[in-house]
Every structure is written in structure tokens, then in C-alpha cells.
Amino acid sequence: MTIKRDTYEDDDSSSSNKRVKVENGSNGVKKEENPYLAHWNDESGSKNEPSNSADLLYSFKRHGTTAKQAHDAEDGPLNPFTGKSLSSNYMSILKKRRDLPVHQQRDDFLSLYQSSQILVFVGETGSGKTTQIPQFVLFDDLPHLNNKMVACTQPRRVAAMSVAQRVAEEMDVNLGEEVGYSIRFEDKTGPNTMLKYMTDGMLLREAMHDNNLSRYSTIILDEAHERTLATDILMGLLKEVVLRRKDLKLIIMSATLDATKFQRYFHDAPLLAVPGRTHAVEIFYTPEPERDYVEASLRTVLQIHATEKEGDILLFLTGEEEIEDTCRKLTMEAQELLRDGAAGPLQVYPLYGTLPPAQQQKIFNPAPPPATPGGPPGRKCIISTNIAETSLTIDGIVYVVDPGFSKQKVYNPRIRVESLLVSPISKASAQQRAGRAGRTRPGKCFRLYTEAAFKKELIEQTYPEVLRSNLASTVLELKKLGVEDLVHFDLMDPPAPETLMRALEELNYLACLDDEGDLTTLGRLASEFPLDPALAVMLITSPEFYCSNEILSLTALLSVPQIFVRPANNRKAADEMKELFAHPDGDHLTMLNVYHAFKGAEAQANPKQWCHDHFLSFRALQQADNVRLQLKRIMEREELELMSTPFENKKYYENIRRALVAGFFMQVAKRDGTGKTYTTVKDEQSVLLHPSTVLAQDSEWVVYNEFVLTTKNYIRTVTGVKAEWLLDIAPVYYDLDEFKKGDVKTALQRTAMKIKRTNEMKAGRR
């Protein structure tokens, strides 16, 4: 039920550098106090004067340059953007860049870019569009000479970070200076940034504070074919912004050829297509369906390694746990092959969204050399989620192993359950995956499913995310963006009315929207936090329960990957360690205990080792620390009080549990008479507590963080609560006249009667 989404981070706006004010679109927020608009508060001199003799760009005519002019500027000897001498590394990269297919059409691109406001650009994966097109734009748009920036959005955090790193190298500048990136809870940009790679959710967040996105002169929506929720909303917004701002240029980049749909949507914009550099790819299918795709993947990779000519392998799997597990097994098996002399060395690298940037960069390392001179060649194997389908291009891949699955978000508005399910991919995705093998030379793609399954069972295109998501956060964002008529907001694929109604109903119960559907004060405040609305409301109301410090920590912990590590070969020891932190009232309080221990003196002496010894994820806890800091800044800015109940007070944990109810009262389940199963309130789904829970008390009522659909329905991250809290904290949602007859209603009626009797007795004593 929780959605992790990429949205804008709060940034400390105490920059000493100041720029010229542009235009007010801040929705009533004072510009001086608004961290998203820090770039407007600058008076330290305009950037319109040449700073060095190398600055050829001052002689360029904006939107009137040619490929040759840019070519000459790129040749140096001084960097046209910084005036420093160009490095030898820059020159060798430049040579490779000019071999990319997009460079052949630089003049065509420039003439279309200069003559139109919106341009649809189709380039197959590997054509160089993500790294090169923004640079082509910089030389023609000259944003830094006009106090503007170029934004290039990516659907994934990993892509935004690694592409920004690559482009900074290509431009011979430091990452975070002229080229930067901005993802949720991490901003690596500076006052000199002219090209900013960012997740689509971050740009959406900026649009809330500046409806016209006035700090940008060109916006590039990359990987638009992925049709993420944020990309779809951005397209709807930008379609209107370009009508208001004639000086804003918009480029929509896609890797697939269904671009005519984008053209029609964007007022019949012109189209430029660049072919990729693809060699022939031989495709193999399995004669029979595979029972276990992970096992089959492992077997196939080892077989390729032992029998095929040199060339790297790319294996697609579905999630972090599966990938890490397979990496371990594969490394062990490959070492055995190496010892037997049956194959060369194999270096295995994982790739998924939550991997730290330094580890992501390892996938670009060269393959290991043969173990002995003249022996079998070494190769690398990258095990990735579908991020390597189109977002990242890795040279040297010759063999692709495609089991045909990926994790996809699925939402059922009737029971309000959103879950990540491992689902079959679409034909378009299968083609993209196969194409990865033909980048450097003819390759092979091993599909671990039958040809009949490919032809008959796979859908043509993946359904856009907007059709399979809970839209509560989206509706809140649109309301903050000033979109009143949600039904007629021009989305490329409008969602089902039922999904929209559910989102409005949910926000109304959370008191973020009033009965007329307008934003309330609480709703306006909730939209300032890059969080799911229920989490934001829990955080905002926590001072009423005297525990905002603890709820702040808990919100950060719920916004990062799982903090408990449970390795397959050491589950018993991991479970015993978890017991040390366990709180009998449930998982939320257990996570809080972990965080408090992590911040203690003993753990901080050597945090990495401490986490390893206690089977905790150091990376996730570090991330939680960072998220907590960012959210704390927003709380301080919005003047939300940070406080705690004294630990000795017996209400310490009770207050935290009550605060949980304030945000998650719609995610409550009641135990059935049998004692094992629970029934969710209102949606009436029969569920079990997830095996990972530490809830020790036999709690009749529990609040849960997420609904997990596997072979059975589970609720995960649960904490015991009391029925009287539900009636007291969320009387509108728990209006008993609205409930169907049944166990839940009867139990709540009993509680209501008990509360009434208690109140009458108290009144009688007076």
C-alpha cells in the first residue's frame, strides 16, 4: 500500500551566491524562504560578461548556431564552459562521442530545435541521445548566459546519477558544478549548474512552487516511452506551460517508434528519428516453459560462460534480493569452473535502483583478463532489473539472458491495494532487452520462455503507470499545481474514474481535501513533503501526540529500503539479532529501537561493523539518516514543533502508536475469531500477518504499512492499536452508520458503548 516515489528534496537554501529575479510563480510562498527558488535570490553580478578568453560561446548567436561552430568549440584547447585546459581524457572521450549515431544528425537536430518549440526525438537505445542531445542544446541554447538551465528528466534515480556522472566527464567538468543531478533526498547541483539531470518527480515538485518552471530554458523529457506516473503528469503540465511560455523549448525523447502518439499529443510536433548502432541478434527460445526462472537463468549464464566466445553477459531479474542472491551463487559456481579450468574468470556485478552510485559505476569496469596467458577469456556478467533495458547502455554486452519477468506496480481500487508483483514483460520490453546484445557486435539473446508464449501471451506494450497506480499522491500534486478540473486534465491515457474517485475519497478522509474537493491547510502542508499523503499527515499531526521526533525517525525509516538483512545462509542468527530489538507491540516500534541503537555511542564508534554484526543494512540506515535530516528541514521551515514524550513516561510508546493511527487509520485490520487471520477494515480482505513481524501480543486491532500479495495475502510492518483510538482519532472514517454489518462493526459498537459508559460515569462523579 505504500508507494515509494521520486519527488523533490528540500535543500538548504543558504547559498551565498545570488542570481537575478525572474518571475513570481511561487503560489504564495515567500521566495526568500523557498528552497526550490534559491536560485532567484542572487544579486552577485550577472553572468553576461566573458570570464575568459576561451569563452567562444559569447560570440555565438543563441538559437542560430551550427554543428561546425560547436565542433570547433569542443576541440579546445580550452574548455568553452570553464576556460580551463582540456584534459587528455576529454580528447579520447570526444573521439568516441563523435562516432555515436546522433552526431551524424547534429545539424538536422539543430535546425528542427531552432525552428520549433516542441520536438519529438526518437533514438534507439545506444544512439547516444541521453548524453549527447543535452550537450547539443547547451551549445545552441546557451542557458548559462541567460541565467537559465537545461533540465533532462529520467524515470529512474540510477540513470539520473550515472548519466550526470558520464556527461560531467564528457564535458571535462566536476559533477555538481556545471553538470549536476537532483533526485529525491539528494541534490548534487551548485550555483554554476547549467545542465541538470533529474528524476521526473523532482521536476514535478519544482513545478508546484514555480508553475511556469521559469528557471529552465529547455526541458528534455527522456525515456518518455516508459510512461511513468510523473512523466505522464509532466507531459500534461508542460503541454500547457509551452502555451504560456513561448521562450521555453521542449524535447520529448523516446527509444521506441510509437512516437506518433507523442506527436499527436503535443500539437503535431515535428519528429526526428536517429537509428541506433545495432548488429544482428540471434534469438533462442526454450522448447518447454521453465519451472524456476532464477535457476534457469543461473544455468544459462554458466553455460554461456563455459561454451561461448568472449563477450559480456547481461541477465535481467526482478528485484534487489533476487539479484544479490543470484550474484552470490553465480560467483561461487564460476570460481569452481575456473578451478577446473573449464572457463576463464567471471566478474559479477549487480545493478538496481537503490545501489549506491560508487557500486553502480562498477558495471562499466572492463572484463577481467584471462587467468593464465592464452587461457580462456575473462568476462563480466551484469545482473540487472529492467533499468538496463533502456535507461543505461553498457558497452561490451554480447549475450542477453531474458527470463521474461519484471516487477510491476499493480493497483486494485476496489480493495485499495497497491503492490509490486512479478509479472510477464511486454513484447516491446522483450525487443529492447534483445537489442542490448547487438551494441558492439552481432550477439545472442536467450529467452527463457517458448516462442509460442512470446507470440500469444505477452502484451504488445507495458500499460502506462497512471493506469495501475494509487493516485492519492498524484491528485494532491495536481491540486497544489493549481489543476482544479481533474477529470479534464489532459493526460495521454486517462485513468479509470474509479481510481480517481478512490484517491479523492482517501484525501478527504485524511483531511487534505475538503468536501468540495479543494485543498485544505493540512493538504497544502502535506504537499510540501515528498511523501505519500498518509505518511505526510502522520508526520504533520505528530506534535499533537508529543512524539514528532520519533515519528520523524519512523517516517524516514519507512521511506528507505528494508533495514533488516536476512541472508539465506544465516537466517537463524539474523532472526536472533532482530529479537534483541523487538518490541512486543510491533514492527514500527522495533524499527525505532534499531534507529535509536544505531545513533548510540557504541554503534557510532564503528557503524559499518555494528550493522554487519547485528544483521542490519548500513546503507539503508545511512539513507534514513539523510532522509530524516531533509524532512526535519521542511518541518522547521513549516514551523512544526519537534518534541518527545520523556522515555520514562509510560505513555512514550502509546503516544507513538496513537500517532501512527492518525496517518494509517485506513490501513487497519481486526483479528478474526480464529486468532490466526485478520480482516482489513472496510475492504474486508482476509489477511495473515507477514512471517517477518515481531508483534508478540495477541492484538485484536493492528495498523499495517503495506499489503503484500504473494501466494497468500499478508500485511507487513504491523503494530498493535486500540479500537478506542480509531474512534477518537478518525471519527469520520469510523462513522459506524457507514459500516456494513459484521464482526468489525459489532466490535466497534461495543467499544463506542464502553467509551460512552466511561464518560457517563466520569460525568456522574462530578
Side-chain angles (χ1 to χ4, degrees):
M1 298 274 271
T2 50
I3 315 171
K4 290 204 173 145
R5 60 200 173 96
D6 265 351
T7 33
Y8 201 73
E9 69 146 348
D10 176 51
D11 190 13
D12 193 351
S13 56
S14 59
S15 161
S16 59
N17 295 52
K18 308 241 168 191
R19 279 199 200 149
V20 185
K21 285 188 182 177
V22 187
E23 179 186 334
N24 187 358
S26 57
N27 282 0
V29 179
K30 283 187 189 163
K31 280 177 277 190
E32 303 83 290
E33 295 165 14
N34 191 329
Y36 304 116
L37 306 180
H39 59 287
W40 281 2
N41 305 332
D42 216 42
E43 291 116 27
S44 74
S46 129
K47 288 192 170 185
N48 294 352
E49 281 146 49
S51 53
N52 57 69
S53 58
D55 229 330
L56 273 179
L57 304 184
Y58 288 96
S59 63
F60 282 18
K61 181 177 179 239
R62 190 170 182 233
H63 300 156
T65 66
T66 62
K68 185 177 183 319
Q69 281 178 290
H71 200 285
D72 293 345
E74 284 170 346
D75 283 340
L78 297 181
N79 188 321
F81 296 106
T82 63
K84 294 174 185 164
S85 294
L86 292 165
S87 64
S88 55
N89 182 40
Y90 167 86
M91 289 305 180
S92 65
I93 294 177
L94 184 62
K95 205 160 171 289
K96 285 184 203 151
R97 281 172 55 200
R98 287 185 176 160
D99 287 341
L100 288 166
V102 284
H103 269 271
Q104 319 311 316
Q105 286 178 273
R106 189 167 187 168
D107 266 323
D108 299 345
F109 167 76
L110 285 174
S111 66
L112 272 178
Y113 171 71
Q114 290 160 1
S115 61
S116 50
Q117 193 182 3
I118 306 174
L119 169 61
V120 178
F121 185 94
V122 176
E124 286 175 31
T125 307
S127 59
K129 62 180 186 308
T130 305
T131 54
Q132 304 309 302
I133 293 294
Q135 294 184 64
F136 292 178
V137 169
L138 285 183
F139 279 98
D140 188 61
D141 195 33
L142 308 170
H144 56 304
L145 306 186
N146 297 280
N147 295 312
K148 301 276 185 190
M149 273 199 277
V150 170
C152 181
T153 70
Q154 297 291 321
R156 293 189 174 84
R157 301 159 60 99
V158 178
M161 289 190 281
S162 64
V163 173
Q165 173 75 56
R166 172 68 190 175
V167 172
E169 275 173 39
E170 289 186 2
M171 288 174 60
D172 213 14
V173 296
N174 292 328
L175 181 64
E177 288 296 318
E178 285 74 15
V179 177
Y181 66 80
S182 175
I183 60 175
R184 183 162 85 135
F185 300 126
E186 191 179 342
D187 188 337
K188 201 163 175 60
T189 58
N192 297 327
T193 302
M194 59 182 83
L195 171 56
K196 179 155 128 185
Y197 284 90
M198 62 210 301
T199 49
D200 37 20
M202 296 301 270
L203 189 59
L204 199 52
R205 212 103 204 126
E206 285 194 30
M208 284 188 191
H209 294 272
D210 173 11
N211 294 161
N212 285 336
L213 291 164
S214 27
R215 68 191 294 191
Y216 300 104
S217 54
T218 299
I219 292 173
I220 304 167
L221 295 186
D222 195 10
E223 308 291 354
H225 59 275
E226 295 220 358
R227 301 292 306 281
T228 62
L229 197 51
T231 296
D232 270 18
I233 295 161
L234 267 179
M235 289 197 291
L237 282 175
L238 288 168
K239 192 174 176 179
E240 292 172 9
V241 174
V242 287
L243 298 175
R244 294 198 297 269
R245 269 192 66 197
K246 292 298 178 192
D247 63 321
L248 175 69
K249 287 188 178 281
L250 180 61
I251 301 171
I252 312 297
M253 299 207 292
S254 165
T256 54
L257 283 163
D258 61 341
T260 47
K261 190 171 182 178
F262 291 115
Q263 275 185 284
R264 278 199 308 277
Y265 181 71
F266 282 105
H267 319 293
D268 292 319
L271 170 75
L272 179 63
V274 173
R277 260 192 329 208
T278 45
H279 299 270
V281 175
E282 204 177 342
I283 292 177
F284 300 89
Y285 293 91
T286 56
E288 295 294 322
E290 291 288 351
R291 291 177 80 100
D292 179 346
Y293 69 86
V294 179
E295 192 52 48
S297 305
L298 203 60
R299 246 190 1 255
T300 311
V301 169
L302 290 166
Q303 199 177 337
I304 293 169
H305 184 46
T307 60
E308 293 285 351
K309 290 181 199 156
E310 70 179 310
D312 299 331
I313 305 166
L314 173 59
L315 161 62
F316 286 97
L317 289 179
T318 64
E320 177 179 345
E321 214 171 298
E322 199 174 77
I323 288 172
E324 290 288 7
D325 204 30
T326 309
C327 278
R328 275 194 297 274
K329 286 181 184 164
L330 196 52
T331 305
M332 280 158 60
E333 300 263 6
Q335 279 166 352
E336 256 178 62
L337 282 178
L338 183 62
R339 277 197 295 274
D340 299 344
L346 179 71
Q347 184 65 56
V348 186
Y349 297 111
L351 178 62
Y352 47 84
T354 52
L355 205 61
Q359 277 180 265
Q360 287 165 21
Q361 290 304 312
K362 286 184 183 172
I363 62 169
F364 300 111
N365 291 352
T372 53
R379 65 176 106 222
K380 67 180 178 193
C381 173
I382 291 153
I383 306 181
S384 171
T385 58
N386 52 358
I387 186 168
E389 238 173 66
T390 57
S391 296
L392 290 178
T393 297
I394 307 150
D395 284 327
I397 301 292
V398 180
Y399 306 101
V400 166
V401 180
D402 172 19
F405 290 100
S406 70
K407 262 192 188 160
Q408 289 174 27
K409 200 190 282 181
V410 183
Y411 178 61
N412 181 342
R414 294 204 176 140
I415 55 170
R416 286 186 310 107
V417 171
E418 182 173 73
S419 29
L420 278 172
L421 290 185
V422 173
S423 324
I425 57 173
S426 63
K427 282 184 185 152
S429 286
Q431 304 290 27
Q432 286 288 353
R433 289 180 176 192
R436 313 275 67 201
R439 282 274 295 120
T440 35
R441 64 165 202 255
K444 295 180 180 180
C445 173
F446 298 84
R447 290 182 174 160
L448 306 183
Y449 42 92
T450 62
E451 191 167 3
F454 173 75
K455 287 181 174 161
K456 295 178 192 159
E457 291 171 31
L458 299 190
I459 55 171
E460 289 297 328
Q461 291 280 354
T462 310
Y463 294 116
E465 204 180 347
V466 70
L467 302 180
R468 46 191 175 86
S469 296
N470 178 347
L471 297 180
S473 308
T474 308
V475 168
L476 193 61
E477 279 169 357
L478 287 171
K479 286 283 179 188
K480 184 78 202 291
L481 287 160
V483 177
E484 290 305 322
D485 186 355
L486 295 170
V487 177
H488 294 104
F489 180 66
D490 191 3
L491 283 167
M492 199 182 266
D493 288 282
E498 192 173 357
T499 313
L500 207 53
M501 288 309 297
R502 273 295 192 179
L504 288 165
E505 185 184 47
E506 199 173 308
L507 290 168
N508 180 244
Y509 282 132
L510 283 168
C512 290
L513 296 181
D514 61 22
D515 292 346
E516 306 303 311
D518 296 323
L519 264 186
T520 60
T521 311
L522 178 62
R524 217 165 262 115
L525 205 48
S527 69
E528 292 295 322
F529 290 87
L531 296 167
D532 188 70
L535 271 176
V537 167
M538 174 175 86
L539 189 54
I540 293 162
T541 54
S542 60
E544 294 170 27
F545 301 96
Y546 309 104
C547 58
S548 47
N549 275 316
E550 287 73 15
I551 292 295
L552 177 59
S553 304
L554 204 43
T555 305
L557 291 162
L558 292 171
S559 302
V560 299
Q562 186 57 263
I563 59 170
F564 295 103
V565 177
R566 198 167 178 254
N569 56 357
N570 217 349
R571 283 186 179 146
K572 193 166 181 290
D575 291 344
E576 283 168 5
M577 273 300 175
K578 190 174 178 181
E579 277 302 312
L580 289 178
F581 300 106
H583 189 286
D585 282 327
D587 301 316
H588 293 90
L589 303 180
T590 301
M591 289 164 83
L592 203 54
N593 286 347
V594 169
Y595 185 71
H596 287 158
F598 174 67
K599 298 301 281 180
E602 185 197 338
Q604 287 300 310
N606 187 350
K608 211 164 187 177
Q609 188 59 45
W610 184 85
C611 287
H612 181 267
D613 296 344
H614 290 82
F615 292 92
L616 298 168
S617 165
F618 175 59
R619 199 169 73 231
L621 283 165
Q622 240 185 346
Q623 220 178 323
D625 233 3
N626 179 23
V627 171
R628 189 184 190 280
L629 187 66
Q630 310 270 356
L631 293 174
K632 185 177 173 218
R633 283 184 194 153
I634 302 178
M635 286 182 81
E636 286 167 349
R637 193 182 77 224
E638 300 300 336
E639 296 180 357
L640 292 167
E641 207 174 337
L642 287 160
M643 56 172 82
S644 296
T645 304
F647 189 66
E648 311 74 52
N649 190 318
K650 63 177 191 293
K651 294 241 176 189
Y652 178 79
Y653 283 115
E654 185 187 304
N655 284 350
I656 296 167
R657 285 158 64 205
R658 288 171 70 101
L660 276 171
V661 170
F664 289 99
F665 56 82
M666 285 183 271
Q667 290 174 205
V668 170
K670 180 196 175 295
R671 195 179 64 222
D672 294 339
T674 57
K676 277 279 180 230
T677 57
Y678 280 74
T679 301
T680 58
V681 170
K682 283 204 181 177
D683 304 320
E684 297 180 342
Q685 295 295 299
S686 181
V687 294
L688 292 163
L689 298 183
H690 196 271
S692 66
T693 186
V694 297
L695 184 68
Q697 319 277 40
D698 262 357
S699 188
E700 188 184 2
W701 299 86
V702 293
V703 64
Y704 60 92
N705 189 54
E706 57 181 329
F707 194 109
V708 183
L709 290 172
T710 51
T711 44
K712 295 175 180 156
N713 290 348
Y714 289 108
I715 47 177
R716 185 162 57 195
T717 316
V718 297
T719 289
V721 295
K722 293 183 177 171
E724 45 265 44
W725 300 348
L726 303 173
L727 296 169
D728 176 35
I729 294 167
V732 179
Y733 190 75
Y734 288 91
D735 176 357
L736 297 181
D737 297 339
E738 301 284 314
F739 273 74
K740 285 186 199 165
K741 275 187 182 170
D743 274 2
V744 172
K745 183 169 184 174
T746 312
L748 288 168
Q749 278 172 329
R750 272 203 307 272
T751 306
M753 291 298 290
K754 194 171 140 194
I755 294 169
K756 193 177 171 193
R757 277 200 306 275
T758 311
N759 290 342
E760 282 168 356
M761 281 164 68
K762 279 181 184 167
R765 283 196 201 115
R766 287 190 201 121

